[in-house]
Amino acid sequence: MVGTMALLPPFIRASRSSRPARNAAPHSAAGLPADDEVLLDVPDDRLGPALVAAGLGAYAPAAELLAHTRERAEWEYRDRYATRLAAFARSRPEWFEDWRAAAPRDPDVLLVAAQLAVARAWGSPARAELLREVSPLITAAAQSDVRDPVPWRIALDHARGSQAGHKYFGELWAAAVRRAPHHYGCHVAAKRYLAESWHGSHRECFDFADRAAQDAPAGSLVQALPARAALAYLTDGCGPEVPRERLDAAADRAVALSARFPAADPWPAEIRNVLTYVLVRLDRRDDALAQLRLIGPYATSFPWGRLSDDPLGHFLAVREEVRSGPSDRPPWQPVGGHGGRARPLDH
């Protein structure tokens, strides 16, 4: 049993015992799960079995999952699943190498391989040089299914990391939106590129995010893009001031999007975690508590990992501050780990 548990992804393991249980009564009265019921980065019911199988060395469920998203053009799901599978392959590559050997030209293999290569290069001091070397993998993924926008999201991330010029970025962006005009992952990648190229000029990022949200359907994840811009502004600490009404409008748009999803659903969990941070920073505690109830047990590393080396612990501390009311310490301030300005956005 011990050997089997070591193979499983972290969300499956019994991590609750590492934190002392707190009195659950106040949380229950506030409509919140107890601290020891909250987990980090829990996958949905489709991705979870694929990750468990990969942990046991089997790639077939992952292959079936990604093939399903491609056949049904479920591009948002495909993007998220490919990213999570590539992240798992970084630490446990055996199952993916077996899959790659069995089907080297499969579009789903090529997609995960491109995402994995970019992720591996991202943390290196020689990032720009290494990213140039993985360009052929992204090209292969893009050519394997010309409908798929996800390789173009990877290409946009690649352009940011390799410090590509605006002309090249514009060509990539045009190719991405031709395939999926409202793909959330591509919009997030573009916003990050623009934020870096504009060197903290948050108003331009807000302009981009607002235009994208205004053009997107009401239920599109792109409606949360202005809240992402607000998060970047609130954690950056540089650049010209953004008017309070613009921050509130970004939060309101994300609140409306959040209301479209069921409570305690892992799919919108990251959007709700980001929104909670923004609402707390805007001192909208009642709205933040409402989002915490909708989050339920689904904390996410982003954005809390930008603020602390213990994202779950930081989420729980913020949640407790919101639940119990005002205190001398702002609820968004790190309890431990990093202090002051947030670390840069992780890839």
Side-chain angles (χ1 to χ4, degrees):
M1 181 64 178
V2 173
T4 301
M5 288 296 289
L7 296 174
L8 297 180
F11 70 88
I12 296 295
R13 300 179 199 153
S15 58
R16 300 174 184 177
S17 60
S18 63
R19 298 180 184 277
R22 299 180 186 177
N23 182 5
H27 294 89
S28 177
L32 303 172
D35 282 3
D36 62 357
E37 295 176 345
V38 180
L39 298 175
L40 190 69
D41 297 331
V42 175
D44 64 24
D45 291 340
R46 298 167 70 188
L47 178 60
L51 287 172
V52 172
L56 299 173
Y59 63 81
E64 293 170 4
L65 176 63
L66 286 184
H68 184 84
T69 62
R70 177 164 45 86
E71 291 161 1
R72 299 200 173 194
E74 295 177 340
W75 305 129
E76 301 289 5
Y77 285 98
R78 181 172 178 79
D79 197 350
R80 186 174 298 188
Y81 295 160
T83 300
R84 291 290 298 270
L85 288 166
F88 188 60
R90 287 189 71 183
S91 58
R92 292 298 310 276
E94 298 86 357
W95 65 275
F96 179 65
E97 294 304 327
D98 289 345
W99 183 17
R100 200 173 189 177
R105 296 186 180 181
D106 182 272
D108 307 316
V109 168
L110 293 171
L111 181 66
V112 176
Q115 177 65 44
L116 177 58
V118 170
R120 283 174 171 165
W122 202 264
S124 170
R127 180 174 71 187
E129 180 181 350
L130 292 175
L131 284 174
R132 283 192 286 271
E133 295 175 0
V134 305
S135 292
L137 292 174
I138 302 174
T139 300
Q143 292 176 343
S144 67
D145 188 332
V146 295
R147 305 169 304 148
D148 188 356
V150 183
W152 298 94
R153 190 271 302 158
I154 298 173
L156 291 168
D157 283 336
H158 181 274
R160 176 167 59 98
S162 58
Q163 299 178 336
H166 282 266
K167 183 176 184 296
Y168 178 63
F169 166 81
E171 293 171 353
L172 295 176
W173 174 245
V177 296
R178 277 199 304 271
R179 286 157 176 81
H182 308 300
H183 184 257
Y184 179 62
C186 288
H187 279 79
V188 170
K191 188 194 76 67
R192 287 177 170 177
Y193 173 91
L194 296 172
E196 289 195 8
S197 65
W198 283 326
H199 302 293
S201 185
H202 292 285
R203 293 193 182 189
E204 284 84 351
C205 286
F206 265 98
D207 288 344
F208 171 78
D210 285 341
R211 285 195 302 269
Q214 288 164 7
D215 291 342
S220 169
L221 297 181
V222 175
Q223 296 295 333
L225 200 65
R228 292 281 298 239
L231 170 73
Y233 169 72
L234 292 168
T235 57
D236 189 16
C238 71
E241 184 176 352
V242 174
R244 167 64 190 248
E245 58 267 22
R246 195 163 196 182
L247 298 172
D248 279 320
D252 290 342
R253 189 182 286 274
V255 167
L257 176 65
S258 174
R260 290 177 168 269
F261 295 100
D265 182 353
W267 175 253
E270 184 179 277
I271 288 172
R272 285 170 170 162
N273 277 251
V274 168
L275 175 57
T276 296
Y277 177 88
V278 171
L279 291 168
V280 170
R281 286 294 305 269
L282 296 177
D283 200 27
R284 293 172 53 173
R285 287 176 178 263
D286 290 344
D287 290 333
L289 182 58
Q291 290 304 313
L292 287 166
R293 292 186 180 118
L294 291 172
I295 287 169
Y298 298 123
T300 57
S301 292
F302 185 83
W304 314 110
R306 295 192 66 201
L307 307 162
S308 170
D309 292 322
D310 179 11
L312 179 55
H314 191 72
F315 169 81
L316 293 174
V318 169
R319 195 179 73 144
E320 176 61 21
E321 292 286 344
V322 172
R323 183 198 66 79
S324 59
S327 68
D328 293 335
R329 181 179 63 80
W332 49 268
Q333 198 172 74
V335 196
H338 296 280
R341 185 175 169 182
R343 68 177 88 177
L345 276 170
D346 293 336
H347 171 62

